[in-house]
Amino acid sequence: MSGYTPGRRYANPPIEEAIFQLELDAPVEWTVATPGLAYATLRGIYPTTPEAQQQMSASVGQDQTEMIGLTLQQGATRFIFKDATFNRFAILSDRFQVVGTRRPYHQWPELRGRLEQLVDLTKEIYGDQRGYRSVSIRYINRIVIPSGAVDTDEYFTVPVPTALGGKAPFRSFISQVESALPNETTARIAFASLEPQDGGTNNQFLLDLDFKRPCQTSNLDEILAIADELKNEENREFEARITDRTRSLFDGEN
């Protein structure tokens, strides 16, 4: 894969979920028969019964009485197709083609290859020369640190500005920053504390890395090249936010 530079490999990477998404430049015709056609096409790879999920959007507005209220709007339905292990999945709607994987992560070439496979298999639904509006990848990491008091500066390069000039211990925090990168790329990065899973007492943190770039092409090779560049950005941002002490938790190897 030209353009992709493999990052550091970990025996136990903290990736909870990885997603590779293509947004179409215009919606395709989507009828009640389309999900069945999609399932018939994909069931060899994703054999479980697909799940329908209604997308919702929220907006804040002010009516004639000058009351401000939250309005929920119902969006398009998307369909989630999963493999027999429920680890790998694909998502289809009238605007999106998506592949993803949950823990355990199978590395970028596998995820990339499944997106390429999905585009090929769904040509009957989306068309052979369908254009795309954007490419995005998202990596959601759950970083678990042993129980006890934690100095986040020992594990992360991003400071957590608590009270008393940073001397007070934190109870919880959440930070999200959207940045503009070259080539019209948008990076949305969230860093937060998490409640321990299964009633544990360890310390857990979210590091959510989301990269998106607009594109105006139907050429899959060009789209995959953009995705490779976004994955390189994700690798750099992930490594830039953790310390060697954190890397040791993942049993890292060069």
Side-chain angles (χ1 to χ4, degrees):
M1 289 177 290
S2 61
Y4 167 61
T5 303
R8 181 165 178 157
R9 297 288 291 272
Y10 296 104
N12 299 293
I15 300 165
E16 284 287 308
E17 187 167 285
I19 299 169
F20 181 5
Q21 174 177 285
L22 301 183
E23 179 186 8
L24 280 69
D25 60 359
V28 298
E29 183 180 2
W30 196 272
T31 70
V32 293
T34 307
L37 173 61
Y39 182 47
T41 301
L42 300 178
R43 67 186 306 171
I45 306 167
Y46 306 100
T48 61
T49 303
E51 301 173 13
Q53 187 178 80
Q54 196 74 49
Q55 295 176 285
M56 303 294 291
S57 62
S59 60
V60 178
Q62 190 171 17
D63 61 21
Q64 293 179 347
T65 65
E66 298 186 354
M67 294 293 291
I68 297 176
L70 179 67
T71 302
L72 292 176
Q73 295 179 324
Q74 183 172 295
T77 301
R78 63 181 192 172
F79 293 86
I80 305 172
F81 305 82
K82 299 177 182 178
D83 73 353
T85 68
F86 293 91
N87 171 259
R88 299 175 177 89
F89 60 89
I91 301 173
L92 298 178
S93 74
D94 64 341
R95 289 295 295 263
F96 295 99
Q97 293 169 289
V98 184
V99 292
T101 185
R102 298 186 175 93
R103 187 187 294 269
Y105 178 59
H106 300 282
Q107 302 302 323
W108 171 246
E110 191 270 348
L111 188 65
R112 182 189 194 272
R114 284 200 294 117
L115 190 285
E116 190 172 9
Q117 181 184 50
L118 182 70
V119 170
D120 183 62
L121 288 173
T122 57
K123 284 179 180 178
E124 187 174 349
I125 299 171
Y126 293 97
D128 193 8
Q129 296 298 317
R130 172 64 55 180
Y132 293 93
R133 174 176 294 182
S134 69
V135 181
S136 60
I137 66 167
R138 183 179 182 186
Y139 277 70
I140 303 171
N141 301 276
R142 179 184 289 267
I143 298 173
V144 179
I145 296 174
S147 303
V150 172
D151 182 352
T152 55
D153 290 343
E154 295 182 7
Y155 292 92
F156 302 100
T157 62
V158 181
V160 178
T162 62
L164 301 178
K167 296 179 181 179
F170 74 87
R171 288 185 175 174
S172 65
F173 68 88
I174 181 168
S175 169
Q176 179 170 296
V177 178
E178 184 173 301
S179 305
L181 304 183
N183 298 316
E184 299 183 86
T185 300
T186 298
R188 184 179 294 109
I189 300 175
F191 179 42
S193 58
L194 296 172
E195 290 295 322
Q197 292 179 316
D198 303 322
T201 60
N202 49 29
N203 303 281
Q204 301 191 12
F205 300 88
L206 169 76
L207 185 53
D208 185 347
L209 307 167
D210 191 354
F211 296 82
K212 181 177 180 179
R213 183 183 299 178
C215 68
Q216 295 294 329
T217 182
S218 60
N219 186 301
L220 187 57
D221 288 337
E222 294 177 10
I223 291 168
L224 294 173
I226 292 173
D228 286 340
E229 293 177 11
L230 296 182
K231 183 64 179 93
N232 290 339
E233 291 287 352
E234 186 275 331
N235 284 343
R236 284 191 288 267
E237 291 294 338
F238 176 77
E239 294 294 340
R241 282 169 162 71
I242 61 174
T243 67
D244 284 338
R245 187 165 184 179
T246 306
R247 293 182 183 94
S248 69
L249 299 174
F250 313 145
D251 190 21
E253 297 179 1
N254 286 315

